Amino acid sequence: MKVKYQGTKYQGSSINSPLYKILTKLESKQRISVPKLEWLLKQDIFETAEIFQQQESEKYAQFAELKEKYQVIQHSYLSLSSPLYPILQNIDAKNNLSDSEISWLEQQGLSETIAIAQELGQTREFAALKVKYKATEYQDSTPKSHLYKIIRRLELSNHLGEQALKLTNLDLSQIRQRNLKSAILVTRGAAFRDIDNLADAENCAKKAMEYHLDSYQPYTLMGTICYDRGDYLKGDYWFQQAIQRGAETEDIDAEIKRVIRSTKDENKRHEAAEYLLKKDLQRYSWAKSYLKKS
């Protein structure tokens, strides 16, 4: 390292010498402190000091380039010791930012930088999801793509559904309270529905009704399952049963809206929207937007 960094004027060869510590920092492109730089100058090791200063110049140039690239031009952060420099390096290295890094950017008002970092992270996620769900033929790779929203929602629902299923895989014979058994089965049924296992979801809903006839939640679940299948008349029957047991009409309408919104089949969504608008044009006016999309 003495040869590489032109420090051969220094006669000492101990790894405990100040020069060795300085050279190891130069090797890993770390910064050296002002006292260490002054030590080099006092020892007349000017060539090594110049190499350090050259490294510093390259870092400042890179910092300026990163600031421009990630929309930090309006801010006057120049010090390489600023937290901004490693944050921008992280973004450029395609690493996801930590919560503390995002928090620091927020405190500095660097919302544009956060937006860029998040979009880059979403782009990487989109590429991975396209491979997972065999959608690599789709050319658009931007997170603004409709496909990204679809497969990300699918990924989240699958992940959450599997976790709820694990949590609710209980021996109900060990539970005395019938209302608790019913609630567990509703949660389990909803998890089955999240992963498109409607048969098991229906079984859970029916068992939940047996344990607690007066709870509206199993009936609401049955309604959503029927809407998932496109059996809207039967779904309305179960939703009406839920309302008779205490469910709010607004909550039922919100549930129906979620079902339509999450329907993957465009034709099925169009069919559901038409059904609702024929039933009550004013109450389900929001469904018009799905007709326009179709």
Side-chain angles (χ1 to χ4, degrees), residues 178-187 204-222 238-248 252:
R178 296 178 67 83
N179 59 344
L180 180 55
K181 290 182 180 182
S182 178
I184 291 170
L185 284 165
V186 169
T187 302
C204 287
K206 288 180 177 178
K207 287 180 182 177
M209 291 177 192
E210 292 173 8
Y211 282 120
H212 196 178
L213 284 172
D214 295 330
S215 172
Y216 65 82
Q217 292 175 336
Y219 298 89
T220 301
L221 176 59
M222 277 295 292
W238 288 113
F239 283 138
Q240 191 57 41
Q241 293 294 311
I243 290 171
Q244 289 176 10
R245 288 164 173 79
E248 297 290 339
I252 295 296

Side-chain angles (χ1 to χ4, degrees), residues 61-236:
Q62 185 199 34
F63 194 10
E65 183 182 330
L66 291 174
K67 284 169 62 181
E68 182 176 1
K69 186 176 181 179
Y70 297 111
Q71 304 292 312
V72 201
I73 295 299
Q74 68 274 28
H75 295 270
S76 57
Y77 299 104
L78 296 175
S79 172
L80 293 177
S81 60
S82 164
L84 180 63
Y85 184 42
I87 289 175
L88 295 182
Q89 287 179 309
N90 258 340
I91 297 173
D92 206 51
K94 299 181 180 179
N95 296 325
N96 292 329
L97 296 183
S98 65
D99 291 340
S100 60
E101 288 174 323
I102 293 174
S103 177
W104 188 89
L105 290 173
E106 287 174 340
Q107 290 170 9
Q108 309 306 312
L110 298 174
S111 55
E112 299 92 343
T113 308
I114 295 172
I116 292 171
Q118 289 175 336
E119 185 170 349
L120 290 172
Q122 289 170 344
T123 301
R124 293 191 294 272
E125 181 187 36
F126 189 18
L129 289 174
K130 283 205 294 184
V131 172
K132 181 174 181 178
Y133 291 99
K134 305 186 188 309
T136 50
E137 293 182 2
Y138 190 79
Q139 297 300 313
D140 191 352
S141 297
T142 65
K144 293 179 181 178
S145 162
H146 187 56
L147 178 65
Y148 172 66
K149 297 173 184 175
I150 291 173
I151 60 178
R152 190 170 187 274
R153 188 183 304 133
L154 179 62
E155 176 75 358
L156 289 172
S157 66
N158 284 345
H159 178 66
L160 292 173
E162 289 166 5
Q163 281 190 333
L165 285 175
K166 288 179 182 178
L167 290 170
T168 57
N169 189 19
L170 305 172
D171 182 1
L172 295 182
S173 65
Q174 301 298 315
I175 300 173
R176 292 183 179 181
Q177 300 93 331
R178 296 178 67 83
N179 59 344
L180 180 55
K181 290 182 180 182
S182 178
I184 291 170
L185 284 165
V186 169
T187 302
R188 188 166 177 78
F192 276 125
R193 182 174 163 262
D194 283 342
I195 59 174
D196 292 325
N197 187 343
L198 299 183
D200 283 338
E202 181 177 353
N203 288 336
C204 287
K206 288 180 177 178
K207 287 180 182 177
M209 291 177 192
E210 292 173 8
Y211 282 120
H212 196 178
L213 284 172
D214 295 330
S215 172
Y216 65 82
Q217 292 175 336
Y219 298 89
T220 301
L221 176 59
M222 277 295 292
T224 58
I225 293 168
C226 291
Y227 262 69
D228 285 332
R229 290 171 170 161
D231 193 346
Y232 309 118
L233 284 172
K234 197 169 183 180
D236 286 341

Side-chain angles (χ1 to χ4, degrees), residues 49-62:
E50 286 178 5
I51 291 174
F52 165 70
Q53 290 171 338
Q54 177 61 32
Q55 283 190 358
E56 289 289 277
S57 297
E58 291 171 0
K59 289 177 183 177
Y60 275 111
Q62 185 199 34

